[in-house]
Amino acid sequence: MRARNTFATAIVLSLLAAAVPAKAQVPLTEGIQIGLSTDNVSITAGFSGADLTIFGSLENPDPLVARQGRYDVIVVLEGPPKPVVVRRKDRVLGVWVNLDSETFENVPVSYSVATTRPLQDITEPNSYKQLSLGASNLYMQPADAGDSPATIEEFTAALRERKSATGLYSENVGGVQFLSQNLFRATVRLAPNVPVGTHKARAFLFKSGLFIKESSAQLEIRKSGFEQSIFRVAHNYSFFYGVFAISLAMLTGWLGRLIFRRD
């Protein structure tokens, strides 16, 4: 009886010993992590734009996939969301007037993209729509959902076009470069008129066209120096700031009249 129990125990231990290496051979899931070169950017009145460097690494990358260049990374720097009103102007009796308007909620004020390759070469368009990735795939939520789809689509296209024209929405193809099999560097553009506030950096990892993982970090953009003082007063004491601005304009006009008047 004891010999039988010993034999059964030996069989169980053998099965467990065989299962351990088999489990260890299961490949780990790839991941991605990013880190900003700085967590805050201070801008002044003379700010003319800048390039922000974002470093990142792949976790548990497949060496064969990495050597074949089948990993792609898309990095996005997304500004704080705010409501936006888009107006359409037309000539009426020779005068340009606002005829129609559409309000969109929670629209990123800025949106900069850096990619390893052109977007159409990384994955299918439906994947971008599901991830709401890329300026053309951002969902612009209308405040009035009862408007006709054609009207919403027209104003959405106009909003994207306007953002791109001002440099707030940009795309840098090739802006993500692999430094090794698991390390990469991304460069995104900060427009001269980049808004202050909390911006969100997001990195998307794709493997052979399939979305794998996402990572994110935050960046604070704020004004500095005299501009920061004016900005703080204007927001914290808006009434007194308005009275001061009007009084200063009146005083400037009165002094200009005295200086340049003709006797």
Side-chain angles (χ1 to χ4, degrees):
M1 186 67 179
R2 179 179 298 176
R4 183 179 299 175
N5 291 338
T6 303
F7 179 71
T9 302
I11 292 176
V12 171
L13 292 175
S14 298
L15 292 175
L16 290 175
V20 169
K23 184 177 181 180
Q25 293 176 0
V26 176
L28 298 175
T29 304
E30 295 100 331
I32 187 171
Q33 295 294 332
I34 59 173
L36 304 180
S37 56
T38 178
D39 58 0
N40 65 81
V41 175
S42 298
I43 59 177
T44 62
F47 181 73
S48 58
D51 289 332
L52 177 69
T53 301
I54 300 175
F55 294 97
S57 64
L58 305 188
E59 297 177 335
N60 308 312
D62 187 326
L64 178 60
V65 176
R67 285 195 300 269
Q68 294 175 345
R70 292 191 284 124
Y71 282 123
D72 284 290
V73 175
I74 300 176
V75 176
V76 174
L77 183 64
E78 187 175 320
K82 293 183 179 180
V84 176
V85 180
V86 182
R87 295 181 174 85
R88 179 170 59 192
K89 292 185 177 182
D90 203 351
R91 294 181 68 92
V92 177
L93 300 177
V95 180
W96 288 96
V97 296
N98 295 322
L99 294 180
D100 299 318
S101 65
E102 187 74 41
T103 301
F104 295 92
E105 300 178 346
N106 299 324
V107 177
V109 180
S110 59
Y111 194 85
S112 300
V113 181
T115 68
T116 49
R117 295 186 292 167
L119 290 175
Q120 65 269 19
D121 296 339
I122 296 178
T123 189
E124 299 294 329
N126 287 336
S127 298
Y128 295 128
K129 291 182 180 180
Q130 293 173 359
L131 296 170
S132 190
L133 178 57
S136 60
N137 298 297
L138 282 175
Y139 175 63
M140 308 293 189
Q141 181 181 356
D144 186 1
D147 292 341
S148 67
T151 300
I152 294 176
E153 183 177 357
E154 178 186 358
F155 278 94
T156 300
L159 174 58
R160 290 196 178 103
E161 182 180 352
R162 179 58 182 168
K163 290 285 189 180
S164 298
T166 56
L168 290 173
Y169 282 16
S170 62
E171 180 179 317
N172 183 12
V173 176
V176 179
Q177 297 180 345
F178 278 95
L179 306 177
S180 65
Q181 288 189 352
N182 63 329
L183 297 178
F184 65 88
R185 177 183 61 199
T187 302
V188 294
R189 183 66 178 168
L190 298 178
N193 53 341
V194 63
V196 297
T198 302
H199 295 239
K200 187 176 183 180
R202 304 168 66 192
F204 299 81
L205 174 62
F206 292 85
K207 175 183 177 181
S208 300
L210 298 178
F211 171 67
I212 301 297
K213 205 84 178 221
E214 174 189 351
S215 179
S216 63
Q218 288 189 343
L219 171 71
E220 191 72 23
I221 296 181
R222 55 173 177 257
K223 295 182 181 294
S224 63
F226 180 73
E227 292 81 5
Q228 171 63 13
S229 301
I230 296 297
F231 180 82
R232 187 183 301 113
V233 171
H235 281 75
N236 296 340
Y237 307 97
S238 55
F239 174 77
F240 296 103
Y241 178 80
V243 172
F244 172 76
I246 294 175
S247 301
L248 181 61
M250 293 176 62
L251 177 62
T252 302
W254 178 72
L255 290 176
R257 182 185 176 187
L258 289 179
I259 296 173
F260 298 105
R261 69 179 180 178
R262 297 178 179 178
D263 295 332

